[in-house]
Amino acid sequence: MDALYPESVVGVENPARQLVTDLNRRELSLVSWLVTVVPELRASSVLAARGRSRSEAYRYVHGAGIAERMPALFELLFDDGRITVDHLDTVWLRINRHLVGLKTRVAESVRPLIDAAVSEALSDWIREGGPATLEAFSQVTDETLAAVAGNIVSATEQREQDTQRLYRRENRLILDCGSAVTADAVWSTVGDRALDLLREARRAEHDGTEEALCSDENAAFSGLPSMAQCRARVLLDLLGDTPATMKITVNLYRPTLDGRHGVGGAFIPGVGYVSDLTASALEGVATLVRELPSRKEINHRQARGYTFTTLQKATVQGRDGHCRFPHCAVPAGRCEHDHIISSPHTTPESDGPTSVSNCMLLCRTHHALKTAGLWSASTPDDGVTVDWTGPDGYTDSTEADGPLAPLRSS
Ligand SMILES: [Zn+2]
């Protein structure tokens, strides 16, 4: 087993602790490197280098912000060995929570004062042996902010109470009610109505009817719905959850063999593979079903103008599946169609054709970075591989892995 350990921990009394210290310092080294990159390229650089997710990339970007703004604290934290990029992210978020509500000019003038106070408080905390937990970092930062910028903190609290926000994280919707009071009120109202639904369902089951609410739409659901399911039903009912009132676009890619389906599931960009049964159900309600030509047939076919044709777009979406920037997972439906070599319609000295072989999907952020010339891309094989060059001579390449990519069809 020793062979799996790096030299540095062989024979060390507490190898796990040593490994964690090494890991933490490596994380902070990546933060140090990021400080050398211009701020507008930090998120894309760390995403390309480290992968994982955008939220992970932003943790590093925030860490670099703190390292830049509080260099003495950063040095101390690096030496400590217990501190991770998440600690820096926590401090960034706690401070930023207040700065976002201020006018830019005001935020810029108060930030150095806040930074100096937080840096000093956290340095004292670490020197005096305080626990290096995320919770502690959060509290020390909040305590300092309340002491040095009380007015700003109370303005933030007021603003948050009056602001409700709704986010989406994959198939979850998160409603931020702004304050605990509003959250309580919404929760109890939804709860009351959900309880009515549950009682109705119980009665229906007792009567032996098959029409119990919350369970009538899906034959795989048996028995009584849970309270959580009833709460969701209450909210969806408010929106009029019927095919007539809710419109969704789902692009489903399904292989055919001699014109027949059912040869191995189907792929939905942003979702992944689904079963044949689900594919047939979705196809059954689709308003448009199109047979795509093989990539060979369509690859070099050129559209006259700057805009890609519907068929070209569908083919590229199937080939790429998501943004082609290294490790970016923004699904095809939310991406833009980029000419890998610029089109003469936008760049007169360039001669990129409007064809599948010169097209790739990019999310809005990465499209903007490429258009601005901060990242450049080229392809040796008609868009299947895309080679990227970024800041500091960084290079990387991505291979198409959508349902129509050679990778999948081979
Ligand atoms: Zn992207």
Side-chain angles (χ1 to χ4, degrees):
M1 282 302 283
D2 276 358
L4 283 176
Y5 294 151
E7 289 280 312
S8 59
V9 295
V10 176
V12 165
E13 201 174 312
N14 193 338
R17 183 165 301 231
Q18 184 60 49
L19 286 168
V20 169
T21 303
D22 290 349
L23 186 63
N24 294 345
R25 292 219 173 104
R26 291 290 180 187
E27 280 192 359
L28 297 197
S29 300
L30 184 54
V31 170
S32 291
W33 170 75
L34 212 51
V35 173
T36 67
V37 175
V38 288
E40 50 274 74
L41 281 182
R42 284 179 186 166
S44 59
S45 298
V46 77
L47 182 68
R50 166 84 164 152
R52 298 182 152 195
S53 63
R54 266 176 191 238
S55 52
E56 159 88 2
Y58 275 103
R59 288 215 295 279
Y60 278 92
V61 174
H62 297 161
I66 292 298
E68 202 166 36
R69 281 155 49 186
M70 308 178 191
L73 174 69
F74 183 70
E75 206 172 306
L76 182 74
L77 299 182
F78 187 93
D79 289 342
D80 184 87
R82 294 173 298 168
I83 312 302
T84 66
V85 70
D86 288 339
H87 290 78
L88 305 180
D89 180 46
T90 298
V91 176
W92 189 94
L93 290 171
R94 295 321 292 166
I95 295 176
N96 193 58
R97 171 179 167 230
H98 304 285
L99 296 181
V100 286
L102 301 175
K103 291 197 172 117
T104 315
R105 207 154 30 90
V106 180
E108 276 167 10
S109 68
V110 297
R111 204 177 67 184
L113 304 173
I114 289 176
D115 286 355
V118 169
S119 172
E120 197 183 323
L122 283 169
S123 298
D124 288 348
W125 180 263
I126 290 297
R127 282 201 202 96
E128 283 160 24
T133 59
L134 294 177
E135 180 69 11
F137 268 54
S138 181
Q139 281 174 11
V140 170
T141 307
D142 282 353
E143 187 186 3
T144 310
L145 285 161
V148 302
N151 287 343
I152 295 175
V153 171
S154 70
T156 302
E157 287 166 353
Q158 196 60 51
R159 195 183 68 246
E160 286 178 349
Q161 272 177 29
D162 300 337
T163 312
Q164 289 81 39
R165 287 169 296 184
L166 186 64
Y167 307 94
R168 182 180 161 191
R169 297 265 184 281
E170 294 175 352
N171 56 352
R172 287 156 194 257
L173 302 179
I174 301 159
L175 177 65
D176 179 346
C177 292
S179 75
V181 179
T182 314
D184 275 349
V186 171
W187 191 244
S188 85
T189 308
V190 172
D192 287 348
R193 295 198 194 174
L195 205 56
D196 288 343
L197 284 185
L198 191 60
R199 286 197 189 111
E200 226 171 285
R202 275 196 195 125
R203 263 199 306 275
E205 193 183 59
H206 190 254
D207 294 346
T209 54
E210 289 283 292
E211 291 167 2
L213 265 160
C214 300
S215 63
D216 59 349
E217 272 150 64
N218 191 338
F221 253 173
S222 64
L224 286 171
S226 66
M227 261 306 268
Q229 286 168 335
C230 287
R231 281 187 216 108
R233 177 51 55 200
V234 168
L235 291 177
L236 289 173
D237 281 348
L238 279 175
L239 297 171
D241 177 26
T242 68
T245 54
M246 288 179 134
K247 180 176 170 258
I248 51 160
T249 303
V250 175
N251 289 322
L252 176 91
Y253 289 85
R254 228 180 158 186
T256 54
L257 191 65
D258 302 330
R260 280 183 306 106
H261 286 317
V263 287
F267 189 92
I268 304 173
V271 174
Y273 279 94
V274 296
S275 69
D276 268 322
L277 209 64
T278 300
S280 295
L282 287 168
E283 201 179 310
V285 294
T287 48
L288 179 68
V289 177
R290 187 188 284 127
E291 186 148 350
L292 295 175
S294 74
R295 236 170 7 95
K296 219 181 261 170
E297 276 173 69
I298 194 178
N299 234 356
H300 294 282
R301 222 188 275 168
Q302 289 187 28
R304 274 211 204 106
Y306 172 69
T307 316
F308 292 99
T309 65
T310 311
L311 207 58
Q312 286 175 326
K313 285 181 182 171
T315 307
V316 173
Q317 287 182 16
R319 184 195 69 198
D320 292 355
H322 53 86
C323 173
R324 293 298 302 277
F325 189 82
H327 299 294
C328 184
V330 172
R334 288 198 279 126
C335 285
E336 300 170 341
H337 296 79
D338 173 57
H339 286 76
I340 301 174
I341 299 170
S342 300
S343 160
H345 293 273
T346 52
T347 315
E349 65 275 19
S350 187
D351 62 352
T354 299
S355 65
V356 167
S357 60
N358 188 43
C359 182
M360 67 171 159
L361 294 185
L362 289 179
C363 68
R364 201 181 296 171
T365 307
H366 295 131
H367 198 176
L369 291 175
K370 177 175 176 278
T371 305
L374 297 168
W375 279 88
S376 62
S378 61
T379 178
D381 54 7
D382 297 332
V384 176
T385 309
V386 176
D387 297 320
W388 288 93
T389 306
D392 211 10
Y394 185 90
T395 58
D396 205 346
S397 53
T398 62
E399 190 167 357
D401 62 359
L404 304 183
L407 196 68
R408 302 241 185 236
S409 51
S410 60

